[in-house]
Amino acid sequence: MGYTFASATVLLLLITDPLGNIPIFANALKGVAPERRTRVIVREVLIAFALLLGFMFVGDGFLRVMGLSGLSLQIAGGVVMFLIALRMIFPPEHGAAPVAAPTEEPLIVPLAVPALAGPSALATVMLLVSQAPERRLEWVAALSVTMAVCAIVLVLAERIQRLVGERLVLAFERLMGLILVAVAVEMMIRGVKLLASEMGR
């Protein structure tokens, strides 16, 4: 699958899922003073950005060390994206007991990792570079735009929830999940086709 700057940015936005992360950030930041929340969100987004950027530059070497091919990464990435998308469309039922909000300021876990820089996001940036390493700067730009959008959405999370309501946020989340399912299936189909063509040689 040949990605452009625009399609790579959309894919990364679907994977990092800033709207879907609003409840996670809201719960994790309950114990943080309101005047510090913006600073904490920006810090966690920058940590996630640095981690994803690091994987983008060392991804090729990591694949070689592990003896993995770009094809296997494409198929595995499609499977992981598919599972993530299913959770976006069919979110797990919460138990009757509410999750206790942390009393300390979160650092790296769970906001930067895995909320933003989770396994699917790491696999996606490695996949982009493995398919077109000569366009690495383009992928860095797409990642930068994605992280900027994540920061803006999460800083404005409370206002967004008040403005559009939780139901509309949930509906949009499921729509993004549906789009991601289609992307994941397309990735797996193309991966299987490439595998079949290589086996037929």
Side-chain angles (χ1 to χ4, degrees):
M1 177 183 292
Y3 289 102
T4 63
F5 167 78
S7 62
T9 303
V10 171
L11 178 61
L12 287 169
L13 281 171
L14 290 171
I15 291 294
T16 52
D17 190 18
L19 284 177
N21 279 321
I22 287 178
I24 298 173
F25 273 69
N27 183 70
L29 296 175
K30 281 181 180 177
V32 179
E35 61 272 13
R36 275 198 55 81
R37 289 176 185 171
T38 297
R39 187 176 301 176
V40 172
I41 290 171
V42 172
R43 182 192 68 203
E44 297 300 302
V45 170
L46 287 175
I47 292 172
F49 175 70
L51 182 60
L52 291 169
L53 195 62
F55 264 74
M56 190 173 283
F57 279 91
V58 304
D60 289 340
F62 177 78
L63 289 177
R64 286 194 297 270
V65 169
M66 297 299 294
L68 300 174
S69 66
L71 179 58
S72 63
L73 181 63
Q74 177 169 332
I75 296 175
V79 172
V80 172
M81 284 184 200
F82 184 79
L83 295 175
I84 294 292
L86 286 182
R87 292 191 63 186
M88 291 169 66
I89 299 173
F90 306 107
E93 294 292 334
H94 298 288
V99 178
T103 56
E104 297 181 356
E105 184 176 295
L107 177 63
I108 301 179
V109 178
L111 302 184
V113 181
L116 293 174
S120 54
L122 296 172
T124 301
V125 296
M126 289 173 61
L127 175 65
L128 289 172
V129 175
S130 68
Q131 289 190 343
E134 71 282 358
R135 298 170 62 191
R136 197 185 305 266
L137 290 179
E138 196 171 339
W139 309 142
V140 171
L143 179 62
S144 301
V145 171
T146 299
M147 291 291 104
V149 172
C150 286
I152 293 170
V153 169
L154 293 170
V155 167
L156 300 177
E158 293 182 6
R159 297 180 186 178
I160 292 173
Q161 283 185 312
R162 286 198 303 267
L163 182 64
V164 303
E166 291 187 7
R167 287 189 176 183
L168 189 56
V169 171
L170 180 60
F172 191 72
E173 165 84 357
R174 291 181 175 176
L175 175 61
M176 291 197 301
L178 182 60
I179 296 172
L180 190 57
V181 165
V183 172
V185 170
E186 178 69 17
M187 283 180 62
M188 288 187 285
I189 289 174
R190 287 179 179 266
V192 170
K193 284 182 178 179
L194 285 172
L195 178 63
S197 65
E198 288 185 3
M199 293 177 64
R201 292 175 184 174

